[in-house]
Amino acid sequence: MEMRAGDYRVAQTLFECGIQSAPKHGALWQAYATMESRLGRLDEARVLFAAGVEKSPRHVPLYQAWACLELRAGNFYQAKRLIGEALTRDKTQGSGWLVAAEIEKKQGNDGIVGLILRRGLECAPNHPELYCALAEYQIECGKMDDARNVLEKGLEVDPFHAPLYHSLAELEARVFNIEGLAKLNKRAAQVFNNNALIPPPDSTRAWGKKLKMRRSREIPPGVAALAEKVVGGNNNVEIDEALAFMDPVSLIESMSQFEELDVLFTEMDDSGGKS
């Protein structure tokens, strides 16, 4: 809580006390190192990550979070090494494959990105974000049918994962599939008991700005009209919001989000924490 409130000195003191009490609690090392990286103290963060890995070598998220730090810093070789270690220890962690794919994408290795995401789905077939990521990759490659099949498979695995509906809706809008959009809207409404294709206001505003500033993918002319037909009758929804399907949370940012300190301390056991 102190970290989220901006009381970093207090948070640092609490982290130090927690580590002394439970030196093998990997989540504590991870959260402490992440706080330091947020403050721009990358060297301090690396020291904490290294100490955490030494004390809690089986805590895979530590390797993933450290890999994300190196990715943001542009240290691709180190990021690859760390995420490789994470996946070696637990290849069923879907988030690890997403990080690995992002590393290759940053280096322009688009062909390898697809291979990694497919391998990720083989190892973590129940991870819905992998289906979204692979579909996104296929859309960028112009493989709309393949992307649709991947998203449909993802919905079979997790019919309650709203971003899958949003990605599929965006795909159908891109190819001017009015009928497909209408069917998908009805299908999502049956699952969520509302119009699941319209994301929360905060998400729609963010996507609306991206679309206007052309920072998202190019939206073909006329898609707005199609989307308006699908969500017709709702006068409170602007066209930008109708197009603003949920922006999946950036993996790299999400790796920096952890439970509040009181939750972390609650997780500790009497033996000195989990390793």
Side-chain angles (χ1 to χ4, degrees):
M1 288 187 292
E2 302 298 338
M3 183 173 69
R4 294 187 177 185
D7 297 330
Y8 294 110
R9 290 185 178 179
V10 175
Q12 185 179 37
T13 300
L14 291 172
F15 277 130
E16 292 289 349
C17 292
I19 287 172
Q20 290 180 11
S21 300
K24 294 184 178 181
H25 197 283
L28 271 174
W29 290 101
Q30 182 184 357
Y32 191 3
T34 297
M35 184 188 76
E36 294 296 332
S37 68
R38 285 180 176 175
L39 296 175
R41 298 196 283 256
L42 300 188
D43 289 338
E44 288 84 347
R46 291 184 176 103
V47 170
L48 289 169
F49 275 126
V53 166
E54 180 181 356
K55 296 290 186 180
S56 183
R58 290 180 292 176
H59 190 71
V60 175
L62 265 172
Y63 300 90
Q64 293 183 6
W66 192 357
C68 289
L69 180 151
E70 300 300 346
L71 174 58
R72 290 193 297 269
N75 300 322
F76 300 123
Y77 176 80
Q78 180 72 345
K80 282 185 179 182
R81 187 185 70 80
L82 288 164
I83 203 60
E85 180 66 24
L87 291 172
T88 297
R89 290 177 176 275
D90 187 357
K91 64 181 180 180
T92 66
Q93 291 282 341
S95 56
W97 294 103
L98 289 171
V99 174
E102 184 67 17
I103 293 171
E104 298 299 337
K105 183 177 180 180
K106 289 290 186 182
Q107 296 181 93
N109 301 326
D110 294 337
I112 299 178
V113 171
L115 293 174
I116 289 176
L117 292 173
R118 291 187 183 90
R119 177 58 177 162
L121 281 175
E122 291 177 1
C123 298
N126 295 324
H127 197 277
E129 285 82 5
L130 278 171
Y131 291 93
C132 288
L134 180 55
E136 175 78 15
Y137 166 79
Q138 291 172 329
I139 289 173
E140 292 176 355
C141 295
K143 300 178 179 179
M144 299 300 183
D145 290 339
D146 290 343
R148 183 183 292 107
N149 291 336
V150 168
L151 291 170
E152 289 288 358
K153 177 62 176 177
L155 287 172
E156 291 178 12
V157 171
D158 188 352
F160 297 100
H161 190 69
L164 285 166
Y165 291 93
H166 303 148
S167 295
L168 186 53
E170 184 178 345
L171 185 156
E172 300 299 2
R174 285 174 169 276
V175 298
F176 299 93
N177 185 359
I178 299 177
E179 183 180 358
L181 275 169
K183 289 181 178 179
L184 182 61
N185 188 51
K186 182 178 180 181
R187 177 180 172 188
Q190 291 175 342
V191 174
F192 297 100
N193 295 320
N194 58 26
N195 189 340
L197 301 187
I198 300 178
D202 291 342
S203 176
T204 59
R205 282 193 289 270
W207 263 87
K209 290 180 180 179
K210 287 184 179 181
L211 291 174
K212 288 180 179 179
M213 299 178 68
R214 296 185 178 275
R215 278 188 280 183
S216 65
R217 297 180 302 278
E218 187 71 21
I219 302 297
V223 172
L226 299 180
E228 185 177 19
K229 290 184 179 181
V230 174
V231 298
N234 187 349
N235 296 325
N236 295 322
V237 180
E238 298 179 355
I239 294 303
D240 281 338
E241 292 187 346
L243 290 175
F245 304 115
M246 182 181 292
D247 183 5
V249 178
S250 168
L251 173 76
I252 304 306
E253 290 300 322
S254 69
M255 291 298 296
S256 299
Q257 298 177 0
F258 303 100
E259 297 294 333
E260 295 182 355
L261 292 180
D262 55 342
V263 177
L264 290 174
F265 285 116
T266 301
E267 290 178 346
M268 298 180 190
D269 54 32
D270 296 334
S271 62
K274 296 179 288 186
S275 60

